[in-house]
Amino acid sequence: MQNNPTCEEEQYRKAEVTAAAMLSRRPLSAAMLERKLLEKEFEPEAAAYAVERMRLLRAIDDHAYAEFLLRSYARKGYGILRIRQEMYHRGVPNDIAAEVLDMFEPDLETMKALLDKRLRGDVSDRREREKAMASLQRRGFTFSQIRAAMEDYCAELADE
């Protein structure tokens, strides 16, 4: 049994309209858009067509989306490891993620503020210091970044 060409064209058109509607609500990577179209039970060819149409119309830009994610998660106080994980989860290609993450510099002041929130100026208890450092690790900061923030935080406390 052959597919009806008009039915197939209709499927492509519906996929394109659905993709545009999804992108009007929030930005998505090309991979995430295709995944969502497939979840809505569009044929793989129709989903791929819609993604390519959105790319041609410049409604999708994985590089701009990766930069958006970087700014958004950095503003929320997350580190490079967490941001990389979010980019992977959201379908940003690895090469684009690596390129964008090269621009990332962790905000030392944000890290010290998170340490202060946890420690409240008391660094005498080793276990509490370890817990505070672990909380930064869960937020995606590297050990060297955490150590630098902790040293800076302790130095500021000693100066006071």
Side-chain angles (χ1 to χ4, degrees):
M1 186 165 128
Q2 287 186 330
N3 285 345
N4 184 345
T6 55
C7 187
E8 195 170 293
E9 287 174 23
E10 184 66 25
Q11 172 84 300
Y12 280 50
R13 205 171 13 261
K14 281 183 181 178
E16 185 178 351
V17 168
T18 302
M22 287 177 180
L23 291 170
S24 73
R25 288 190 286 279
R26 68 183 179 118
L28 297 168
S29 68
M32 183 65 86
L33 178 61
E34 188 166 6
R35 192 175 326 147
K36 287 184 171 289
L37 289 169
L38 291 171
E39 286 172 5
K40 290 199 172 282
E41 298 185 6
F42 284 101
E43 294 296 322
E45 297 81 17
Y49 168 80
V51 168
E52 191 55 37
R53 283 289 297 154
M54 294 301 109
R55 192 175 273 131
L56 289 171
L57 295 170
R58 296 196 174 148
I60 288 181
D61 180 349
D62 283 343
H63 196 275
Y65 182 61
E67 289 174 347
F68 165 77
L69 290 174
L70 174 65
R71 286 189 309 273
S72 177
Y73 281 93
R75 191 173 41 250
K76 292 177 184 178
Y78 290 106
I80 193 168
L81 301 174
R82 175 71 181 270
I83 296 169
R84 179 179 293 130
Q85 179 184 19
E86 285 298 326
M87 286 183 182
Y88 174 78
H89 175 71
R90 294 168 186 264
V92 174
N94 289 336
D95 59 330
I96 293 174
E99 180 184 335
V100 170
L101 288 170
D102 280 344
M103 297 185 283
F104 180 73
E105 279 296 320
D107 184 8
L108 192 61
E109 294 306 313
T110 299
M111 294 174 70
K112 290 189 302 188
L114 291 167
L115 287 170
D116 190 53
K117 183 178 178 182
R118 185 82 184 197
L119 296 170
R120 297 186 188 112
D122 181 14
V123 292
S124 60
D125 187 351
R126 182 183 62 82
R127 289 181 69 192
E128 288 303 314
R129 282 194 319 267
E130 288 173 357
K131 286 180 183 179
M133 292 171 73
S135 73
L136 287 178
Q137 188 176 20
R138 285 189 299 276
R139 292 185 77 80
F141 294 101
T142 64
F143 182 72
S144 61
Q145 293 166 342
I146 295 168
R147 188 177 62 234
M150 181 60 90
E151 288 171 0
D152 208 42
Y153 178 72
C154 290
E156 284 182 8
L157 287 177
D159 290 344
E160 290 178 359

